[in-house]
mmCIF file of all heavy atoms in Angstrom:
data_model
loop_
_atom_site.group_PDB
_atom_site.id
_atom_site.type_symbol
_atom_site.label_atom_id
_atom_site.label_comp_id
_atom_site.label_asym_id
_atom_site.label_seq_id
_atom_site.Cartn_x
_atom_site.Cartn_y
_atom_site.Cartn_z
ATOM 1 N N GLU A 209 121.909 115.139 43.373
ATOM 2 C CA GLU A 209 122.206 115.329 41.830
ATOM 3 C C GLU A 209 123.247 116.437 41.501
ATOM 4 O O GLU A 209 124.152 116.312 40.756
ATOM 5 C CB GLU A 209 121.018 115.317 41.046
ATOM 6 C CG GLU A 209 120.194 113.935 40.886
ATOM 7 C CD GLU A 209 118.991 114.134 39.956
ATOM 8 O OE1 GLU A 209 119.311 114.176 38.709
ATOM 9 O OE2 GLU A 209 117.861 114.179 40.466
ATOM 10 N N LEU A 210 122.795 117.554 42.012
ATOM 11 C CA LEU A 210 123.520 118.803 41.821
ATOM 12 C C LEU A 210 124.985 118.759 42.417
ATOM 13 O O LEU A 210 125.894 119.222 41.687
ATOM 14 C CB LEU A 210 122.735 120.028 42.262
ATOM 15 C CG LEU A 210 121.434 120.258 41.618
ATOM 16 C CD1 LEU A 210 120.690 121.432 42.337
ATOM 17 C CD2 LEU A 210 121.542 120.492 40.200
ATOM 18 N N SER A 211 125.092 118.179 43.508
ATOM 19 C CA SER A 211 126.343 118.031 44.188
ATOM 20 C C SER A 211 127.251 117.102 43.445
ATOM 21 O O SER A 211 128.545 117.352 43.220
ATOM 22 C CB SER A 211 126.183 117.651 45.568
ATOM 23 O OG SER A 211 127.474 117.643 46.214
ATOM 24 N N ALA A 212 126.765 116.053 42.883
ATOM 25 C CA ALA A 212 127.461 114.970 42.219
ATOM 26 C C ALA A 212 127.920 115.555 40.851
ATOM 27 O O ALA A 212 128.952 115.076 40.342
ATOM 28 C CB ALA A 212 126.730 113.765 41.975
ATOM 29 N N ALA A 213 127.124 116.505 40.272
ATOM 30 C CA ALA A 213 127.501 117.063 39.093
ATOM 31 C C ALA A 213 128.609 118.167 39.147
ATOM 32 O O ALA A 213 129.214 118.650 38.213
ATOM 33 C CB ALA A 213 126.275 117.782 38.390
ATOM 34 N N GLY A 214 129.000 118.492 40.426
ATOM 35 C CA GLY A 214 130.194 119.352 40.591
ATOM 36 C C GLY A 214 129.813 120.881 40.926
ATOM 37 O O GLY A 214 130.726 121.520 40.951
ATOM 38 N N TYR A 215 128.547 121.134 40.975
ATOM 39 C CA TYR A 215 128.240 122.463 41.119
ATOM 40 C C TYR A 215 128.516 122.913 42.658
ATOM 41 O O TYR A 215 128.363 122.130 43.602
ATOM 42 C CB TYR A 215 126.751 122.786 40.914
ATOM 43 C CG TYR A 215 126.326 122.603 39.526
ATOM 44 C CD1 TYR A 215 125.497 121.465 39.155
ATOM 45 C CD2 TYR A 215 126.713 123.285 38.386
ATOM 46 C CE1 TYR A 215 125.138 121.215 37.949
ATOM 47 C CE2 TYR A 215 126.387 123.126 37.179
ATOM 48 C CZ TYR A 215 125.625 122.103 36.828
ATOM 49 O OH TYR A 215 125.035 121.729 35.561
ATOM 50 N N ALA A 216 129.005 124.134 42.834
ATOM 51 C CA ALA A 216 129.017 124.745 44.174
ATOM 52 C C ALA A 216 127.649 125.074 44.554
ATOM 53 O O ALA A 216 127.020 125.864 43.853
ATOM 54 C CB ALA A 216 129.993 125.912 44.235
ATOM 55 N N LEU A 217 127.270 124.703 45.935
ATOM 56 C CA LEU A 217 125.891 124.989 46.308
ATOM 57 C C LEU A 217 126.055 125.964 47.445
ATOM 58 O O LEU A 217 126.807 125.768 48.336
ATOM 59 C CB LEU A 217 125.216 123.660 46.716
ATOM 60 C CG LEU A 217 125.140 122.488 45.698
ATOM 61 C CD1 LEU A 217 124.362 121.376 46.255
ATOM 62 C CD2 LEU A 217 124.523 123.001 44.453
ATOM 63 N N ALA A 218 125.046 126.860 47.442
ATOM 64 C CA ALA A 218 125.034 127.842 48.474
ATOM 65 C C ALA A 218 123.571 128.297 48.832
ATOM 66 O O ALA A 218 122.724 128.122 48.015
ATOM 67 C CB ALA A 218 125.883 129.186 48.136
ATOM 68 N N ILE A 219 123.452 128.729 50.171
ATOM 69 C CA ILE A 219 122.146 129.191 50.489
ATOM 70 C C ILE A 219 122.244 130.733 50.858
ATOM 71 O O ILE A 219 123.044 131.089 51.659
ATOM 72 C CB ILE A 219 121.652 128.462 51.825
ATOM 73 C CG1 ILE A 219 121.477 127.034 51.488
ATOM 74 C CG2 ILE A 219 120.361 129.076 52.360
ATOM 75 C CD1 ILE A 219 121.048 126.177 52.815
ATOM 76 N N LEU A 220 121.354 131.505 50.284
ATOM 77 C CA LEU A 220 121.261 132.995 50.483
ATOM 78 C C LEU A 220 119.903 133.185 50.974
ATOM 79 O O LEU A 220 119.021 133.006 50.249
ATOM 80 C CB LEU A 220 121.612 133.784 49.310
ATOM 81 C CG LEU A 220 123.084 134.063 49.029
ATOM 82 C CD1 LEU A 220 123.960 132.740 48.805
ATOM 83 C CD2 LEU A 220 123.243 134.910 47.790
ATOM 84 N N SER A 221 119.737 133.723 52.236
ATOM 85 C CA SER A 221 118.475 133.738 52.931
ATOM 86 C C SER A 221 118.332 134.966 53.733
ATOM 87 O O SER A 221 119.234 135.467 54.252
ATOM 88 C CB SER A 221 118.144 132.462 53.585
ATOM 89 O OG SER A 221 116.971 132.559 54.286
ATOM 90 N N SER A 222 117.049 135.347 54.051
ATOM 91 C CA SER A 222 116.684 136.302 55.023
ATOM 92 C C SER A 222 116.402 135.751 56.365
ATOM 93 O O SER A 222 116.054 136.479 57.308
ATOM 94 C CB SER A 222 115.531 137.206 54.602
ATOM 95 O OG SER A 222 114.404 136.363 54.151
ATOM 96 N N ASN A 223 116.569 134.396 56.464
ATOM 97 C CA ASN A 223 116.391 133.702 57.685
ATOM 98 C C ASN A 223 117.779 133.912 58.439
ATOM 99 O O ASN A 223 118.683 134.453 57.852
ATOM 100 C CB ASN A 223 116.025 132.174 57.514
ATOM 101 C CG ASN A 223 115.382 131.592 58.769
ATOM 102 O OD1 ASN A 223 115.873 131.789 59.906
ATOM 103 N ND2 ASN A 223 114.454 130.704 58.476
ATOM 104 N N GLU A 224 117.851 133.306 59.615
ATOM 105 C CA GLU A 224 119.149 133.540 60.398
ATOM 106 C C GLU A 224 120.071 132.328 60.085
ATOM 107 O O GLU A 224 119.572 131.094 59.953
ATOM 108 C CB GLU A 224 118.839 133.541 61.915
ATOM 109 C CG GLU A 224 118.133 134.857 62.325
ATOM 110 C CD GLU A 224 118.099 135.075 63.867
ATOM 111 O OE1 GLU A 224 119.156 134.662 64.464
ATOM 112 O OE2 GLU A 224 117.146 135.468 64.359
ATOM 113 N N GLU A 225 121.308 132.575 60.042
ATOM 114 C CA GLU A 225 122.390 131.581 59.759
ATOM 115 C C GLU A 225 122.300 130.431 60.599
ATOM 116 O O GLU A 225 122.342 129.187 60.286
ATOM 117 C CB GLU A 225 123.724 132.119 59.623
ATOM 118 C CG GLU A 225 124.797 130.982 59.206
ATOM 119 C CD GLU A 225 126.149 131.684 59.007
ATOM 120 O OE1 GLU A 225 126.327 132.902 58.991
ATOM 121 O OE2 GLU A 225 127.121 130.946 59.031
ATOM 122 N N LYS A 226 122.152 130.789 61.937
ATOM 123 C CA LYS A 226 122.119 129.657 62.953
ATOM 124 C C LYS A 226 120.881 128.677 62.773
ATOM 125 O O LYS A 226 121.037 127.560 62.920
ATOM 126 C CB LYS A 226 122.105 130.292 64.417
ATOM 127 C CG LYS A 226 120.893 131.019 64.693
ATOM 128 C CD LYS A 226 121.135 131.621 66.122
ATOM 129 C CE LYS A 226 119.859 132.573 66.499
ATOM 130 N NZ LYS A 226 120.145 133.146 67.904
ATOM 131 N N ASN A 227 119.760 129.245 62.418
ATOM 132 C CA ASN A 227 118.525 128.378 62.129
ATOM 133 C C ASN A 227 118.840 127.502 60.965
ATOM 134 O O ASN A 227 118.566 126.217 60.945
ATOM 135 C CB ASN A 227 117.343 129.233 61.856
ATOM 136 C CG ASN A 227 116.839 130.101 62.846
ATOM 137 O OD1 ASN A 227 117.168 129.786 64.064
ATOM 138 N ND2 ASN A 227 116.121 131.168 62.601
#
Side-chain angles (χ1 to χ4, degrees):
E209 285 187 74
L210 298 176
S211 182
Y215 299 111
L217 307 182
I219 296 174
L220 274 62
S221 173
S222 53
N223 203 319
E224 292 191 38
E225 183 176 345
K226 61 182 178 181
N227 291 343

